Amino acid sequence: MLDLDLRRLRLLREVSRLGSLTAAAAELSFTTSAVSQQMTKLEHEMGVALLERHPRGAVLTEAGRALLRYADDIDRIIEAARAEMDEFAGLRRGQLRMGTFPTVGASLMPDVVLAFRARHPEVTVTVVSARRAGLVDRLKRRDIELTLLWDYPWQRIKDEELTTVTLMNDPTLLLLPREHKLAHAPAVRAEALHDENWIVRDEHPVADVLRRVCRAAGFEPSVAFAANDYQETQGMVAAGIGIALAPQLALSALRPDVVAVPLENAPSRRILLAHLSGRHLSPSARQATEVCRSIASAHLAST
């Protein structure tokens, strides 16, 4: 296999351009001996004579002239590669692949994508939505580079393959019909809700939150309806079927006939940004991390 030192090719070009080893050495701040040694090594690598040395200088052999043409082509390729890498580093091209989950996909993520595109319009942004296990799997398969995740105090994400950054805490709110007697309370204690019927997201983390909140208050929740999503949950609350819990970020489109009230001592979930621990983030992903932090901070400031 050919082991070609590109620096020696550049020396060959200077010898050809200036007509002597001494002149090339002076131009490049080398000694004549050092240039001569490098040319000898290059000839050894190529297996042919590349220079005809004369008392007054040196000229390329036919093989040397042929190699120099390749050297020119190699330089053009290297310059093109460097320019293209500069475009990636400068975010003038490339791709950002991120993951999200539904409640954040309808709240934070649109702002993240809009802000990132405003800064880096040449970068293609791709977003996939899935449940938490699916997002982690996509990270590990390298289908995505970054993903938003969530966890609760009793279910922290502990995966040595992941590096996570906490963006914000997402509080749990109580959803009530606008005419409910507690709808205008500044905050509600769970103990005041023991006689209520509940709308719950079946087999969803918020169902676990509901059980923990009610049990801590000394009662079991009476579930009147199992909803498929938070919009259906709001509809059933508005209809008076029951009340519900929801993360604040799930309420970006709150119905006018439903009120969201703080619930005392209700657990918050963490919103996290995660990537593979051993993966060197692309310039796009590094910039997206900063955008996510900025958007989360702005959201917190507005609530």
Side-chain angles (χ1 to χ4, degrees), residues 32-199:
T32 302
S33 175
V35 172
S36 179
Q37 289 175 9
Q38 292 301 313
M39 291 299 93
T40 299
K41 288 181 179 180
L42 182 59
E43 289 177 321
H44 179 73
E45 289 173 348
M46 296 298 100
V48 293
L50 302 173
L51 291 173
E52 292 180 358
R53 294 166 171 82
H54 303 288
R56 295 186 178 182
V59 296
L60 269 59
T61 64
E62 184 178 357
R65 292 192 296 273
L67 180 60
L68 192 58
R69 288 194 295 272
Y70 284 109
D72 291 338
D73 290 341
I74 290 171
D75 270 355
R76 282 192 290 271
I77 292 170
I78 290 173
E79 287 303 316
R82 182 177 291 114
E84 187 167 352
M85 294 305 101
D86 286 344
E87 287 185 356
F88 281 108
L91 296 177
R92 295 189 296 275
R93 65 179 298 177
Q95 184 175 37
L96 172 66
R97 294 173 297 159
M98 293 189 67
T100 189
F101 52 96
T103 53
V104 166
S107 52
L108 285 185
M109 184 57 80
D111 291 338
V112 169
V113 172
L114 288 170
F116 184 88
R117 282 179 169 166
R119 297 183 191 183
H120 310 293
E122 294 86 358
V123 177
T124 301
V125 180
T126 303
V127 181
V128 298
S129 181
R131 294 192 175 189
R132 189 170 67 180
L135 293 170
V136 171
D137 179 63
R138 284 176 179 266
L139 269 184
K140 293 183 177 180
R141 288 192 284 113
R142 297 177 178 260
D143 290 340
I144 54 178
E145 192 172 4
L146 294 172
T147 191
L148 292 163
L149 298 173
W150 58 265
D151 67 10
Y152 283 100
W154 58 86
Q155 196 182 33
R156 293 301 191 205
I157 294 175
K158 297 179 180 179
D159 190 326
E160 293 182 354
E161 295 184 61
L162 301 184
T163 294
T164 60
V165 175
T166 301
L167 296 178
M168 61 182 293
N169 288 319
D170 186 20
T172 299
L173 300 181
L174 178 66
L175 301 184
L176 301 168
R178 183 163 290 280
E179 66 276 7
H180 194 282
K181 62 183 180 180
L182 298 173
H184 302 291
V188 175
R189 293 176 57 85
E191 290 81 358
L193 305 172
H194 60 88
D195 292 330
E196 298 284 351
N197 290 320
W198 293 86
I199 312 299

Side-chain angles (χ1 to χ4, degrees), residues 133-295:
L135 293 170
V136 171
D137 179 63
R138 284 176 179 266
L139 269 184
K140 293 183 177 180
R141 288 192 284 113
R142 297 177 178 260
D143 290 340
I144 54 178
E145 192 172 4
L146 294 172
T147 191
L148 292 163
L149 298 173
W150 58 265
D151 67 10
Y152 283 100
W154 58 86
Q155 196 182 33
R156 293 301 191 205
I157 294 175
K158 297 179 180 179
D159 190 326
E160 293 182 354
E161 295 184 61
L162 301 184
T163 294
T164 60
V165 175
T166 301
L167 296 178
M168 61 182 293
N169 288 319
D170 186 20
T172 299
L173 300 181
L174 178 66
L175 301 184
L176 301 168
R178 183 163 290 280
E179 66 276 7
H180 194 282
K181 62 183 180 180
L182 298 173
H184 302 291
V188 175
R189 293 176 57 85
E191 290 81 358
L193 305 172
H194 60 88
D195 292 330
E196 298 284 351
N197 290 320
W198 293 86
I199 312 299
V200 69
R201 292 286 307 277
D202 197 21
E203 297 183 358
H204 189 273
V206 76
D208 190 20
V209 175
L210 175 62
R211 286 190 293 269
R212 289 173 181 271
V213 167
C214 293
R215 288 171 184 172
F219 66 93
E220 289 291 328
S222 174
V223 176
F225 186 83
N228 292 301
D229 55 44
Y230 285 113
Q231 286 305 108
E232 188 176 32
T233 296
Q234 288 190 48
M236 295 299 104
V237 170
I241 302 298
I243 62 176
L245 299 181
Q248 187 175 63
L249 287 177
L251 304 175
S252 56
L254 187 64
R255 291 174 58 112
D257 47 4
V258 173
V259 175
V261 180
L263 182 63
E264 292 185 10
N265 301 318
S268 296
R269 64 179 182 175
R270 292 191 307 176
I271 305 300
L272 309 166
L273 185 65
H275 65 86
L276 285 181
S277 297
R279 183 171 186 176
H280 181 71
L281 290 181
S282 67
S284 295
R286 291 197 298 272
Q287 285 294 307
T289 298
E290 295 307 312
V291 170
C292 286
R293 289 178 184 271
S294 176
I295 294 299

